[in-house]
Amino acid sequence: MGLGGATRKLQKVADMGEELYSRISELREQMLEVHETVKETDKRVAALENKVDGQTAIIEALAESEGIDVDELLTETAIEEAEPPEPKGSDEASDETSDSILDAESPPDEA
């Protein structure tokens, strides 16, 4: 009876090995698919970054031709974003935002 028990155990180990091999093969295929997806996404992101860079250059050129200081505007925006938000009932915040927008839209003072 010892030989029959050993045969069953050996068969069980062989079955487990086949199952593990099958799972590893599936995981390998999934990893290859993920790798391809990441490569495609990387290419798309690079293309979008290039497109945004081009659009930024165009917008900055248009702003400069209109006399808008882009660096100053970006600095003001960064400062406003860094400041804690005002309570909802405050009208001062909306007035300041409106003034900033009007300042950016107004033509520069001519000397």
Side-chain angles (χ1 to χ4, degrees):
M1 207 90 115
L3 191 56
T7 303
R8 276 185 252 128
K9 287 180 184 179
L10 191 57
Q11 184 62 43
K12 186 176 180 179
V13 169
D15 291 344
M16 287 174 50
E18 287 177 16
E19 185 178 333
L20 286 173
Y21 181 80
S22 174
R23 286 184 187 175
I24 289 173
S25 294
E26 289 174 14
L27 288 173
R28 183 176 184 277
E29 288 175 23
Q30 289 175 357
M31 288 300 298
L32 289 173
E33 289 174 10
V34 167
H35 181 71
E36 287 301 315
T37 302
V38 168
K39 282 173 49 176
E40 291 172 10
T41 302
D42 184 51
K43 288 178 185 177
R44 287 187 202 147
V45 167
L48 288 171
E49 286 175 342
N50 289 337
K51 188 178 272 190
V52 166
D53 289 343
Q55 291 173 351
T56 300
I58 291 169
I59 290 170
E60 286 178 354
L62 288 170
E64 186 177 321
S65 72
E66 293 295 320
I68 298 171
D69 186 355
V70 175
D71 291 330
E72 181 182 336
L73 201 57
L74 291 173
T75 302
E76 287 177 12
T77 303
I79 291 170
E80 289 174 6
E81 288 176 355
E83 292 176 349
E86 300 249 347
K88 294 266 183 194
S90 175
D91 289 337
E92 291 178 23
S94 62
D95 289 344
E96 288 177 14
T97 304
S98 298
D99 291 344
S100 295
I101 293 171
L102 292 175
D103 290 343
E105 292 175 349
S106 303
D109 294 334
E110 300 192 21

